[in-house]
Amino acid sequence: MNISIFLIGFVFFLGGVSVWLLPAFKLGIYLLEWDFLSLKFNFYFNSVLFSFILFLVTFSVLIFSTYYLNSELNFNYYYFVLLIFVGSMFSLNFSNSIFTMLLSWDLLGISSFFLVLFYNNWDSCSGAMNTALTNRLGDYFMFVFFGLSVFSGYYFLSFSMFSSYMSLLLLLTAFTKSAQFPFSSWLPKAMSAPTPVSSLVHSSTLVTAGLILLMNFNNLVLQKSFISFVLIIGLFTMFFSSLASLVEEDLKKVVALSTLSQMGFSMVTLGLGLSFISFIHLVSHALFKSCLFMQVGYIIHCSFGQQDGRNYSNNGNLPNFIQLQMLVTLFCLCGLIFSSGAVSKDFILELFFSNNYMLFFSLMFFVSVFLTFGYSFRLWKSFFLSFNKVMNHYSSTVFMNFLSLALVIFSIGFLWWLNFNLLNVPSLFLYVDFFGPLVFLFMMIFLSFMVLKMLFKELTYKFLVDYLAKNSIYKMKNLKFMDLFLNNINSKGYTLFLSAGIFKNYYMKSLNFNSVVILIFIFFMIC
């Protein structure tokens, strides 16, 4: 079994390298053409680039699955269904005919149903049925769309009416598969699948299929009324998923809702008419989100399958490399400087707010982008900033430290490749564009810190000189209060040595995680 896993991984690795080495070209392969039944595949830049990212993510997820599902009885079945899913995604990515597109679309929905159903408990059954029925609705829309496209050739009704109805059906198809606003419920429910499935299916493949479909038919969809509809639906998806991720306690569902928010972000970009920028954001998101799912899955696996954010404790003792990779992926999610999310987000924000007079939607968009930082910090806080429980369980494997390293490197290095080769952005402009606001930000932080420091000094002086001295004299005069106070201290057993011991204990415990923060804090207090 291990040899077969190695061979499958090796084939995916070779495929990824070969795709990477192929130059920019457009190639059509027609294997069969017989009326409706035709096998046509198109190889062009967008599909080749996406397939390379898919190769990379699948290769990492296949290896991660051997670690995460090590003792599962149905592991061969899981691997078989996962490979069917990946193959159907590649087929959808390259397909250029109705038959291959419908076949790939159906296989995606069926294989995702079986993958979500893997654990076969009540939660996974509910999530699988929700996923399958919503995707089946999308399959119906797609079938009617292709049926109308065939009937439009008979000319007994106006072509404009057919094209408008067809565009609407195409949008509904994409909304169901990409979990946009009316059909968003299936994506958080599908988190009952194993975490490697979530890492592959719900970050870079299934949810992106609808957007890829819209990009393939962008000449049909990119009309003013339709892209306005796409823009508004994407905005609502962003806003509501960002709000929901702030109150959700299941951390896998928080990551799923962040995926939903980023899909809405790509849909907004498509609504602005920026098809290629939306595709770039989609590809960069697939890299860092699959890496984030792997890190979250590793922490869940190390905590006996615990997913509730309120029950984690002392995860700061995990290997530092895991924490660093998760921090980098969260930086990419927020679109911070020198990350792959920065370039596409910077472009999209700039092009959205230029010549824009929609005050309500602009405010909603701004709040949704800002909430990305909110749920990213909440995810980090739930994992690494809680010390209230005593149950710990850590895996001893070293390999997991380096599994998603390739994804992390691409998430950072992908930025410069995009700049120089795709978007033609000079590096000087990029530096000025990024560092200008950054200088102002640091200046604001420095000034606010100095103001707060002066205020605290003044408040400390007022407290020590005016309030504490006067109040202590009043309390000392009241002997009854003093007697009760001393009795209370004595009954609780807070002696001087015990309190000093508790302080030392907490201080030494905190050294495991954030000693640098404590040193910086002490340094600022001394200064």
Side-chain angles (χ1 to χ4, degrees), residues 182-285:
F183 313 103
S184 303
S185 63
W186 69 264
L187 187 60
K189 292 279 285 180
M191 288 300 109
S192 50
T195 310
V197 173
S198 304
S199 180
L200 176 67
V201 176
H202 307 120
S203 66
S204 55
T205 48
L206 188 66
V207 289
T208 62
L211 279 158
I212 288 172
L213 184 75
L214 286 182
M215 289 171 198
N216 287 339
F217 288 96
N218 59 356
N219 291 331
L220 184 65
V221 175
L222 292 182
Q223 308 168 31
K224 186 181 177 183
S225 56
F226 286 113
I227 62 172
S228 303
F229 181 59
V230 170
L231 179 74
I232 292 167
I233 292 293
L235 271 174
F236 271 96
T237 308
M238 273 186 75
F239 185 69
F240 288 120
S241 58
S242 301
L243 282 181
S245 60
L246 290 179
V247 294
E248 178 62 54
E249 295 299 341
D250 189 340
L251 292 187
K252 266 183 78 174
K253 288 187 179 179
V254 172
V255 183
L257 288 165
S258 75
T259 302
L260 197 54
S261 175
Q262 297 304 307
M263 288 301 109
F265 197 74
S266 293
M267 201 62 85
V268 166
T269 316
L270 201 63
L272 291 171
L274 307 170
S275 178
F276 188 64
I277 304 289
S278 176
F279 174 75
I280 286 172
H281 184 68
L282 203 69
V283 166
S284 60
H285 170 262

Side-chain angles (χ1 to χ4, degrees), residues 132-389:
L133 292 174
T134 311
N135 284 321
R136 181 52 62 189
L137 192 64
D139 296 343
Y140 165 74
F141 289 141
M142 191 177 191
F143 190 77
V144 176
F145 163 71
F146 282 127
L148 279 178
S149 64
V150 171
F151 270 106
S152 65
Y154 291 111
Y155 298 111
F156 58 81
L157 285 173
S158 65
F159 180 72
S160 60
M161 186 190 79
F162 268 120
S163 63
S164 60
Y165 282 139
M166 282 157 52
S167 303
L168 186 63
L169 286 164
L170 189 68
L171 289 182
L172 289 172
T173 308
F175 289 165
T176 51
K177 196 66 91 173
S178 291
Q180 294 303 303
F181 174 56
F183 313 103
S184 303
S185 63
W186 69 264
L187 187 60
K189 292 279 285 180
M191 288 300 109
S192 50
T195 310
V197 173
S198 304
S199 180
L200 176 67
V201 176
H202 307 120
S203 66
S204 55
T205 48
L206 188 66
V207 289
T208 62
L211 279 158
I212 288 172
L213 184 75
L214 286 182
M215 289 171 198
N216 287 339
F217 288 96
N218 59 356
N219 291 331
L220 184 65
V221 175
L222 292 182
Q223 308 168 31
K224 186 181 177 183
S225 56
F226 286 113
I227 62 172
S228 303
F229 181 59
V230 170
L231 179 74
I232 292 167
I233 292 293
L235 271 174
F236 271 96
T237 308
M238 273 186 75
F239 185 69
F240 288 120
S241 58
S242 301
L243 282 181
S245 60
L246 290 179
V247 294
E248 178 62 54
E249 295 299 341
D250 189 340
L251 292 187
K252 266 183 78 174
K253 288 187 179 179
V254 172
V255 183
L257 288 165
S258 75
T259 302
L260 197 54
S261 175
Q262 297 304 307
M263 288 301 109
F265 197 74
S266 293
M267 201 62 85
V268 166
T269 316
L270 201 63
L272 291 171
L274 307 170
S275 178
F276 188 64
I277 304 289
S278 176
F279 174 75
I280 286 172
H281 184 68
L282 203 69
V283 166
S284 60
H285 170 262
L287 278 171
F288 61 74
K289 188 51 69 69
S290 57
C291 180
L292 181 61
F293 261 118
M294 283 189 209
Q295 308 307 328
V296 170
Y298 175 74
I299 297 169
I300 288 171
H301 191 69
C302 291
S303 306
F304 295 109
Q306 179 61 251
Q307 295 186 20
D308 197 321
R310 295 164 293 190
N311 294 334
Y312 287 103
S313 177
N314 292 327
N315 282 333
N317 297 326
L318 281 172
N320 290 329
F321 210 63
I322 294 286
Q323 298 181 45
L324 187 64
Q325 287 181 50
M326 190 168 174
L327 194 64
V328 169
T329 51
L330 287 175
F331 282 169
C332 291
L333 179 62
C334 295
L336 294 187
I337 183 171
F338 300 124
S339 63
S340 60
V343 173
S344 54
K345 277 200 169 185
D346 186 68
F347 261 73
I348 294 162
L349 288 168
E350 186 177 345
L351 291 164
F352 182 86
F353 286 114
S354 60
N355 299 324
N356 185 9
Y357 303 104
M358 302 181 293
L359 181 63
F360 176 71
F361 291 126
S362 299
L363 186 64
M364 188 186 287
F365 186 66
F366 177 76
V367 170
S368 304
V369 172
F370 181 74
L371 287 178
T372 309
F373 293 89
Y375 59 71
S376 299
F377 175 73
R378 186 169 175 266
L379 200 67
W380 181 262
K381 178 178 175 295
S382 300
F383 275 131
F384 297 116
L385 296 181
S386 57
F387 304 97
N388 53 349
K389 304 289 187 301

